[in-house]
Amino acid sequence: MMKKAWQQARLWWAVALIVFVLDWITKQAIEASLHYGQEIAILPFFDLTLRYNTGAAFSFLAGAGGWQRWFFSLIAAAVVIGISWRLIKIGKTLVMESLALALIMGGAVGNLYDRLVYGHVVDFIQVHWQGAWYFPAFNIADSAITLGVIVMLFDGFFPQRQQGDK
């Protein structure tokens, strides 16, 4: 029984790994192509840029002096462990929740990698409106986390039927 649970969790860990790899590849490409702060307009509302975030979402605690790197790394590691445990429990029966958790875990690992290796998270996607309003720069990992939360909310509003439900 436990072996089957681990096998099911492996599928979702593979999804998380794909997210991590896509995040890593795109960050490497941006780092190799742009210098810090450079912006390349792609669409009237979308630029590629290179930014570093030492804080969390929306640069929360970015100027805190360095301790936040380890604080956010610890939180990300705890999230990955918690999600892994949950995926072992539900990986076969709750597909939408498992997908949501795998996306969140992949994004968490992507940003955790940056914090541990570089001391900051590499962001490169910038959305704006007519050059007057700018959303904070983000990356593939952040996008996966956001998509995972959306999937989880959708699943909460429209729960799937578990095996055995009629």
Side-chain angles (χ1 to χ4, degrees):
M1 175 117 165
M2 191 59 146
K3 183 178 179 183
K4 192 165 190 157
W6 280 99
Q7 288 173 340
Q8 279 300 308
R10 283 194 313 206
L11 166 67
W12 302 115
W13 288 330
V15 170
L17 179 62
I18 290 167
V19 169
F20 168 74
V21 168
L22 288 173
D23 181 63
W24 185 83
I25 288 170
T26 55
K27 288 173 180 175
Q28 295 300 308
I30 292 297
E31 285 268 21
S33 304
L34 301 177
H35 61 272
Y36 185 82
Q38 181 180 357
E39 296 177 6
I40 298 175
I42 304 297
L43 296 170
F45 57 89
F46 170 70
D47 300 340
L48 290 179
T49 188
L50 177 59
R51 305 273 188 229
Y52 300 141
N53 184 359
T54 57
F58 307 106
S59 296
F60 176 67
L61 294 177
W67 63 267
Q68 72 277 20
R69 172 186 184 185
W70 305 109
F71 176 70
F72 292 130
S73 295
L74 183 63
I75 290 172
V79 165
V80 169
I81 291 167
I83 288 175
S84 293
W85 175 82
R86 180 76 176 147
L87 288 174
I88 291 168
K89 300 284 187 190
I90 67 161
K92 181 178 171 126
T93 57
L94 299 175
V95 174
M96 291 293 283
E97 182 180 345
S98 296
L99 174 61
L101 292 172
L103 291 168
I104 293 167
M105 183 167 62
V109 171
N111 286 339
L112 174 62
Y113 176 87
D114 283 7
R115 285 186 203 291
L116 294 177
V117 173
Y118 308 120
H120 57 260
V121 173
V122 176
D123 289 326
F124 61 90
I125 301 169
Q126 185 168 277
V127 179
H128 57 87
W129 179 251
Q130 298 181 344
W133 174 85
Y134 284 82
F135 191 79
F138 57 99
N139 55 45
I140 300 298
D142 299 333
S143 300
I145 292 167
T146 302
L147 182 58
V149 170
I150 291 168
V151 170
M152 191 170 285
L153 288 171
F154 180 83
D155 187 44
F157 286 114
F158 306 101
Q160 63 194 21
R161 290 172 39 186
Q162 294 185 26
Q163 290 181 348
D165 290 350
K166 300 274 178 191

